[in-house]
Amino acid sequence: MQKLVLASNNAGKVKEIQALLAPLNFEVIPQGTLGIPVAEEPHHTFVENALAKARHASSASGLPALADDSGICAHALDNRPGVYSARYAGEHANDAANNQKLIFELSNQSDRSAHYVCALALVNSADDPKPLIVETSWYGVVINEARGSNGFGYDPHFFLPELNQTAAELDPSQKNLISHRGQALCELISQLKIRNSLPC
């Protein structure tokens, strides 16, 4: 199996990405198990942050690295929290605090539509001049009451009208097919197959 460092210690992300990349014979190694510290995320876009994290993990490990930067964008809030989704309620905020702040800020808004964004960056080395980069979106509505226990982050409040479920109510295998991260990984896998001259 090919070793691939994942520039994340988020258990939910690790589990989703491991499941999606296993069929391609990748062994996904969370950076924390190698003692790699978390990278800075100074940029204003998901793509720039993902690439910075991937290069950081590859430099520290000497291995190919994959990073994602993802978050939720509420349309009535000028796409906030965006790249600050994981720390929306403060640098060390947890999911509950972040969700509470988002719901509070949307309390007087009639437009509750939002979308998740996932940007993925895969580098073969820290100075890879041709990283693989993918960015995808997943659209839904923010609801006040949490529903479901399968997801993480904003999933219990991210409602999908066409399915009448929140992201946290979906079966993990179903979520992996349709989520922002699932879409991004599917596109990344397609690009990997093309790059490696494998059948799609």
Side-chain angles (χ1 to χ4, degrees):
M1 296 187 80
Q2 182 177 354
K3 294 182 185 295
L4 180 70
V5 177
L6 179 62
S8 175
N9 297 317
N10 181 305
K13 288 185 183 181
V14 171
K15 187 175 181 180
E16 285 185 7
I17 290 171
Q18 282 178 330
L20 287 159
L21 289 182
L24 275 184
N25 215 29
F26 280 104
E27 179 188 351
V28 178
I29 306 167
Q31 64 181 7
T33 64
L34 300 177
I36 300 172
V38 175
E40 296 287 326
E41 298 180 55
H43 303 293
H44 298 294
T45 68
F46 294 103
V47 167
E48 289 173 299
N49 281 330
L51 188 54
K53 290 190 283 188
R55 292 197 189 282
H56 171 79
S58 183
S59 176
S61 66
L63 294 168
L66 173 67
D68 101 308
D69 198 47
S70 54
I72 194 168
C73 299
H75 302 164
L77 303 178
D78 295 323
N79 288 325
R80 294 193 311 273
V83 296
Y84 303 103
S85 293
R87 53 191 188 278
Y88 196 38
E91 198 61 38
H92 303 290
N94 60 19
D95 288 350
N98 288 330
N99 277 297
Q100 185 177 20
K101 180 174 181 179
L102 179 61
I103 289 164
F104 174 77
E105 293 206 341
L106 286 171
S107 59
N108 294 320
Q109 301 290 339
S110 58
D111 182 3
R112 304 300 293 266
S113 62
H115 65 279
Y116 267 129
V117 174
C118 177
L120 291 178
L122 175 66
V123 296
N124 286 322
S125 62
D127 57 356
D128 187 347
K130 283 196 68 178
L132 290 181
I133 295 174
V134 174
E135 186 176 56
T136 54
S137 299
W138 190 28
Y139 292 86
V141 177
V142 177
I143 60 173
N144 290 337
E145 298 300 321
R147 288 172 42 177
S149 57
N150 289 336
F152 62 96
Y154 297 88
D155 287 355
H157 294 272
F158 188 71
F159 182 71
L160 305 158
E162 69 277 12
L163 298 176
N164 196 33
Q165 290 179 296
T166 66
E169 291 178 300
L170 297 177
D171 180 87
S173 60
Q174 182 184 16
K175 182 187 175 190
N176 284 345
L177 288 174
I178 64 174
S179 74
H180 53 310
R181 191 167 297 108
Q183 292 177 55
L185 279 164
C186 183
E187 176 61 27
L188 185 78
I189 287 166
S190 294
Q191 290 194 31
L192 277 171
K193 288 178 175 177
I194 294 168
R195 174 184 276 192
N196 298 329
S197 299
L198 296 173
C200 292

